[in-house]
Amino acid sequence: FPSPENIMSLTDAQWAEFESTGVVKLGKILTDEQLAKLQSRIDEIMLGKADLNYDKIMMQLDSQTGKYEDVGEQTMGFKEATLDYRKIQNLDQDPVFMEYMRAPIFEHICRKVYGTAPVATFRAMFMNKPANKGTPLPWHQDRWIHLDKDPKVTIWTALDVANKETGCVDVILGSHKLGVLNPSHPSAFLKEEQWNEHCTEDKITALECEPGESVLLHNWVIHRSGTNKTENPRRAFSCNYMDANTKVANDQLEQGKQAKGTGFAEGCDEFPIIFPAS
């Protein structure tokens, strides 16, 4: 998955935008052929047809009710052959997705943020809004209490059309400057009074993308997603890059595992190296 020649690095203007808003659209990183390869691969994984060790893959089924509290358990292993999975993690175990995660543009971004340190992935994750389904994801920031350093870089890639009808991600631009709003929550989900203060309609931006487009997000940007009201799935791949020297606090890890849905998935304490120290 080589990066397109015109998207090998970010411009000064894009870095300024990242500092200001916490969100930068990178353009179409994937060619049509590369996009089709990832689309086909994730469907193979969901249907149990991929040649990989499913015992090392976290697979969560979507809810049947559309309620967040009814989503499946975040546990390792294949559940059933269906395209209605909500979340699949540990995709660094898959050679196809791992190759994409190592694209030169992503290393450029990580070097700018983390310097020469080795870079690992906290979470290599597929997120899915199945056709005419999907579960709303409440307002939150991507921050976890069991890490001694907060990851700052997420690359989100649309595998299908992401718009308001398909349940795209909504963001509050510039909200990363607020810091972590609910640090006591294992996964930094906002309290209702914080939604009301920081997530008013006039502040919401729909992060609409075409298939193959990628977006750089600061982890502290407040975001959510809705449901899919169309006949087609809204699939996406999200990779969270972190300083590989980050350490885990085991007592807080256990606390996070107790929270269903908004808590930690199995395998969340393993951080494969993506880019060695430079």
Side-chain angles (χ1 to χ4, degrees):
F1 289 91
S3 301
E5 291 184 1
N6 63 329
I7 315 180
M8 292 294 290
S9 62
L10 270 62
T11 65
D12 290 344
Q14 286 176 308
W15 281 117
E17 183 181 3
F18 183 64
E19 292 293 327
S20 173
T21 68
V23 179
V24 180
K25 280 196 169 186
L26 301 176
K28 190 170 181 179
I29 298 293
L30 293 167
T31 66
D32 290 343
E33 182 180 358
Q34 291 168 340
L35 173 63
K37 187 176 182 180
L38 290 183
Q39 291 171 329
S40 174
R41 185 60 172 175
I42 197 61
D43 283 356
E44 288 177 355
I45 292 172
M46 286 192 282
L47 295 174
K49 298 178 179 180
D51 182 18
L52 51 75
N53 185 352
Y54 279 90
D55 290 340
K56 294 186 176 182
I57 306 294
M58 194 292 293
M59 304 184 73
Q60 180 191 43
L61 291 167
D62 203 2
S63 71
Q64 295 300 311
T65 64
K67 296 180 180 180
Y68 189 79
E69 58 268 25
D70 293 335
V71 295
E73 296 288 348
Q74 300 187 82
T75 54
M76 295 292 202
F78 184 73
K79 306 299 188 294
E80 61 181 84
T82 176
L83 297 179
D84 286 352
Y85 281 96
R86 174 180 180 267
K87 182 194 295 187
I88 299 176
Q89 289 185 190
N90 309 102
L91 287 172
D92 45 81
Q93 297 289 329
D94 179 71
V96 177
F97 278 93
M98 179 61 105
E99 183 184 2
Y100 176 58
M101 291 159 59
R102 287 177 165 152
I105 178 63
F106 303 151
E107 182 170 15
H108 160 77
I109 290 168
C110 289
R111 292 291 168 231
K112 180 73 172 181
V113 175
Y114 298 122
T116 61
V119 175
T121 175
F122 172 76
R123 188 170 67 180
M125 175 179 71
F126 167 70
M127 285 294 289
N128 189 29
K129 305 284 184 180
N132 293 307
K133 293 183 181 180
T135 301
L137 179 61
W139 291 112
H140 66 286
Q141 297 166 296
D142 284 345
R143 190 265 188 172
W144 303 276
I145 59 171
H146 67 305
L147 304 179
D148 71 339
K149 298 177 185 178
D150 287 350
K152 299 292 178 63
V153 172
T154 292
I155 304 290
W156 188 95
T157 301
L159 301 182
D160 298 299
V161 172
N163 57 30
K164 294 178 182 178
E165 288 298 306
T166 62
C168 70
V169 175
D170 290 329
V171 297
I172 306 298
L173 296 176
S175 55
H176 63 303
K177 296 179 180 179
L178 299 170
V180 180
L181 295 178
N182 190 11
S184 63
H185 189 282
S187 303
F189 276 60
L190 272 61
K191 300 176 182 177
E192 185 174 356
E193 58 266 29
Q194 293 172 325
W195 302 357
N196 295 332
E197 178 180 358
H198 299 292
C199 307
T200 53
E201 286 297 323
D202 59 305
K203 296 178 182 177
I204 299 172
T205 297
L207 202 57
E208 298 187 310
C209 296
E210 291 299 313
E213 279 193 281
S214 293
V215 183
L216 166 64
L217 298 120
H218 190 293
N219 276 46
W220 292 353
V221 167
I222 300 169
H223 57 289
R224 70 173 182 185
S225 62
T227 58
N228 186 353
K229 303 175 180 66
T230 74
E231 299 296 325
N232 301 304
R234 195 233 72 183
R235 297 166 293 178
F237 177 62
S238 175
C239 185
N240 183 233
Y241 297 90
M242 62 187 282
D243 184 331
N245 296 313
T246 302
K247 294 183 172 52
V248 171
N250 288 322
D251 56 337
Q252 292 176 323
L253 175 65
E254 290 306 314
Q255 176 186 340
K257 286 180 178 179
Q258 301 305 312
K260 184 179 185 297
T262 62
F264 301 153
E266 284 188 0
C268 69
D269 52 347
E270 299 179 10
F271 314 125
I273 298 294
I274 306 302
F275 304 118
S278 65

